[in-house]
Amino acid sequence: MFKKLLIANRGEIACRVIRTARRMDIPTVAVFSDADAGALHVRQADQSYRLGPPSAAESYLNVQRILEAAKRTGADAIHPGYGFLSQNPAFATACQEAGVAFVGPRPSVMQAMGDKVLARRLAKEAGLPLVPGVDHEVSDAEAPDIAEVLGFPVMVKAAEGGGGIGVRIVQRPRSLERVLQRARTLAQGAFGSARMYLERYVEDASHVEVQVLADEHGNAVHLFERDCSVQRRHQKVVEETPCAKIDPTLRQALYDAALALVRHIGYTNAGTVEFLVDRQRRFYFLEMNTRLQVEHGITEMVTGLDLVELQLRIAAGEPLPFRQSDLRSNGHAIEVRLYPEEPETFLPVLGTLKSVDVPSGDGIRVDSALFPGYEVTPYYEPMLAKVMAWGEDRDIAIERLENALREFRLEGLTVNIPVLRSVLGDPTFRLATYDCDTLTKLTGRRRAQHNLHTAVSGSPPPGLDGDDSEIDEQDGPEVTAAAALALALAGVKTGAATSGEARWRQGGRYEQLVVVNGGGRSPW
């Protein structure tokens, strides 16, 4: 096993990895930017190392400084967490060349799955069904003919994409050229590549993913599935396991497909194979994430396994300690993600946490790095916490999660808890008939109620400042962040919790969304 582990990340995932390493008696090294000098992960680790200024490019995306930290502290392994450099094959290669173990798959496999066009080809070779589309880069000239063959609506997608950036739905032929150019511009800024491809848009689809593990000895297993269909702008907000919409036959087909891809590409360590499932219960390969997922905690709750420990053991060359027949999924678990944002407008807000009261009790788990004095800055992924609930069945899990959200208290910050409670109480969620468009429709109703209140009373509902301007869902998170940045730089408050000393700064969250160093993904 490793002598010392460096976590090349921050926030709740760094704390999560430290927790497992401590239980395994592995000393840990936290890295930090100047903005995170007092962060919880820095306090919890055995050692800490300053990377540089707050900008991600100068700190958490700075490969040279991270490897320097490993060398100077004697760390012989690096866990990348998720976001930042976690799916950057150049970083994994640099770790290997420096003689430091990278806790994740081989760089060549990471590179193949990160190229969405190549990933489609490999999935097809492995026998997986694909969304109708093309397996090559699409030029502007050929896009109209390809879209006509596929049939509208179509999806314009970035070949090196991720996090919903550079993904657009085109409903009509006349919009294709404009949308394609917009997507290219965003993809170039976010991923350093304007390569795009087209897929048929699968309407009313669910997003179902299969958690996989594979070691260096040829053993591979799945850890069941998660339903991640509650999304806003192609980003997950609520996840649950097991998926309540699929029957045993489809469930097994998803498992078989995921493991077929794992074996075909020679994948090792933890990963997630993601699928779309349509209303007719046909499924299609979507992509593979070559890292630990944000939502891994609910899989741990139903399996009793520690995925971070398994990652470390696989990276150290150990074989998997179980076979597929040894694994069971017990009960039901659901996760929601807490963000500092206005629940009506979804504009991000900044501020300093004055006090926090985290829920607890039977079946409740909260992963966070919160403490009184925690500051939400514009530099990094803004997620505050993941609240998870386990129950013997789905209804119990929902009830426990609703209670936990009612009990969660964060003084000084505006968060999205009202939206999360609306989702859990919505009939489509209760009946498990929701799909990837459900949250957009639900928030549309909330916005309509907001506008009605404003029209009748002459002011927004209590607790809201400013105009609830319509933000195009197609513009995704980058426009939301840009709008908030522009407002704040102009001195306009985007939330009650935004204080003068916590205003947006130049090079803030919008830069983090669309500027990536060395091809790494934005952690948003």
Side-chain angles (χ1 to χ4, degrees), residues 129-366:
L130 303 179
V131 175
V134 293
D135 300 335
H136 63 271
E137 177 186 354
V138 172
S139 68
D140 292 345
E142 63 182 337
D145 290 339
I146 292 174
E148 187 69 28
V149 171
L150 293 175
F152 287 88
V154 297
M155 291 280 283
V156 174
K157 304 180 76 172
E160 279 83 23
I165 299 174
V167 176
R168 293 291 183 273
I169 301 170
V170 184
Q171 299 285 354
R172 292 170 293 277
R174 67 173 181 269
S175 304
L176 180 60
E177 181 180 0
R178 175 181 57 81
V179 173
L180 183 58
Q181 288 305 314
R182 171 67 173 161
R184 285 194 193 281
T185 300
L186 291 170
Q188 180 66 47
F191 312 111
S193 170
R195 295 172 61 229
M196 309 298 296
Y197 68 104
L198 299 183
E199 287 182 346
R200 177 66 191 271
Y201 176 58
V202 182
E203 298 184 88
D204 302 324
S206 292
H207 184 145
V208 183
E209 63 187 25
V210 177
Q211 176 71 58
V212 295
L213 282 174
D215 61 25
E216 299 283 355
H217 304 274
N219 304 305
V221 298
H222 68 77
L223 299 183
F224 312 101
E225 83 284 355
R226 297 183 289 253
D227 189 336
C228 307
S229 304
V230 180
Q231 301 181 6
R232 184 169 62 84
R233 301 177 182 130
H234 311 293
Q235 296 181 80
K236 302 166 186 174
V237 178
V238 181
E239 303 97 350
E240 64 175 317
T241 183
C243 175
K245 307 166 187 171
I246 60 178
D247 60 28
T249 301
L250 176 54
R251 180 172 283 112
Q252 188 60 51
L254 291 170
Y255 299 159
D256 293 343
L259 290 176
L261 180 61
V262 166
R263 295 188 176 101
H264 181 66
I265 64 177
Y267 192 85
T268 55
N269 216 275
T272 305
V273 184
E274 309 201 5
F275 300 93
L276 289 178
V277 178
D278 67 16
R279 287 294 186 188
Q280 289 72 44
R281 296 301 180 256
R282 296 170 298 197
F283 71 92
Y284 311 93
F285 170 75
L286 181 61
E287 65 178 359
M288 184 175 191
N289 278 312
T290 56
R291 55 166 168 80
L292 188 69
Q293 290 283 76
V294 174
E295 59 271 18
H296 73 276
I298 56 174
T299 293
E300 293 180 326
M301 295 179 88
V302 298
T303 62
L305 300 173
D306 184 328
L307 268 66
V308 173
E309 177 181 352
L310 291 166
Q311 280 193 294
L312 293 171
R313 293 194 180 281
I314 291 170
E318 297 182 19
L320 287 173
F322 43 68
R323 297 172 297 179
Q324 189 67 64
S325 58
D326 299 322
L327 300 174
R328 296 287 185 275
S329 176
N330 301 304
H332 200 97
I334 309 173
E335 171 186 285
V336 295
R337 305 185 188 189
L338 265 63
Y339 286 97
E341 62 184 19
E342 290 288 358
E344 302 298 336
T345 64
F346 298 111
L347 286 174
V349 297
L350 301 182
T352 301
L353 185 62
K354 297 178 181 178
S355 65
V356 56
D357 188 3
V358 177
S360 60
D362 290 344
I364 298 300
R365 168 176 163 178
V366 178

Side-chain angles (χ1 to χ4, degrees), residues 93-109:
T93 299
C95 289
Q96 289 184 348
E97 292 174 349
V100 178
F102 177 82
V103 182
R106 293 189 299 276
S108 60
V109 175

Side-chain angles (χ1 to χ4, degrees), residues 25 46 49 59 85 159 191 245 268-269 280 338 440 494:
D25 294 322
D46 298 292
Y49 192 91
S59 54
L85 295 168
F191 312 111
K245 307 166 187 171
T268 55
N269 216 275
Q280 289 72 44
L338 265 63
T440 298
T494 60

